[in-house]
Amino acid sequence: MEKYSVLMSLYMKERPEYLERSIQSMIGQTLKPDEIVIVRDGPITPELESVLHRYLTAYPGLFHIVELKENRGLGVALNYGLEHCRNELVARMDTDDIAKPYRCEKQIRYFQSHKNTSILGGQIEEFMGSEDNIVGKRVVPETDTELKNYMKKRCPFNHMTVMFKKSHVLEAGSYRDWFWNEDYYLWIRIAIKKYEFANLPDILVNARVGADMYQRRGGNKYFKSEMAIQKFMLRKKLIRPIRYALNVGERAIVELLLPNNIRSWVFRRFARQ
């Protein structure tokens, strides 16, 4: 079966036990990765270094650690890491989430039977604290047409689940710095290239969430980032003015006007199961 790379970005605020659990979930895949590329996004703690050292020692040749001397943010770090991935198929993974054992095998098999697919993601369950404390599920559409329509309103992929073709991502300009929306901005640019999207119906990753998740999805900085995405889609004629106005209005209410507890309810009610 085709080889694939895993791409992860690590920064100093991550917890060592989360990193270790995340790495272990990728090593434990039913179809093993050919390499795991981890970007140190700036200096990290001795405890995180210790985790990396243990895996580098235990799995010689599997891990490729690259470094940015200063913390540059997720978009810049992933762009840098992608340049060091040696395989065409690259699986994204976050350093605090937990992949299902079958995740990558299912994705590779899909790519082998759907040669035109550029990006393939899947569904997530969100947990808080212990892994069995499931608090939500984010379900996204599966077909290319559904995803391109869904993209006009919100991000069509669960980022930590995606596997993509490196050459297509690079052709679209790769990851770029964009506050909390590095992935959404990339998917839009890949859609402009007319490449094909898909999501599996399966839960591929258990995503770790914190009590402050919805609080971080509000405020002026987050709203400005979202609005820049909407303006970009409008300028590229991916959405019409009426859709742009609706998107802006919805986000202004949820991200700027609602208090955190009400925002949390709205997200759970309308964006989660």
Side-chain angles (χ1 to χ4, degrees), residues 67-95:
E67 181 179 7
L68 294 170
K69 294 189 180 299
E70 297 179 356
N71 178 253
R72 301 287 303 280
L74 185 61
V76 174
L78 293 180
N79 178 48
Y80 184 62
L82 186 59
E83 294 174 358
H84 291 82
C85 292
R86 62 177 174 239
N87 296 301
E88 170 68 350
L89 288 179
V90 177
R92 264 286 292 128
M93 184 60 182
D94 283 340
T95 49

Side-chain angles (χ1 to χ4, degrees), residues 148-192:
K148 299 288 176 57
N149 285 329
Y150 189 85
M151 187 180 68
K152 298 175 183 179
K153 294 181 289 184
R154 54 183 62 92
C155 185
F157 293 102
N158 292 310
H159 189 196
M160 70 292 288
T161 72
V162 299
M163 182 179 285
F164 51 70
K165 292 178 178 175
K166 175 181 176 179
S167 61
H168 293 184
V169 169
L170 292 179
E171 184 182 341
S174 193
Y175 285 97
R176 298 177 186 174
D177 183 34
W178 199 291
F179 181 72
W180 269 75
N181 280 293
E182 298 91 351
D183 56 328
Y184 196 1
Y185 183 42
L186 175 58
W187 314 146
I188 292 168
R189 287 180 283 119
I190 293 176
I192 291 171

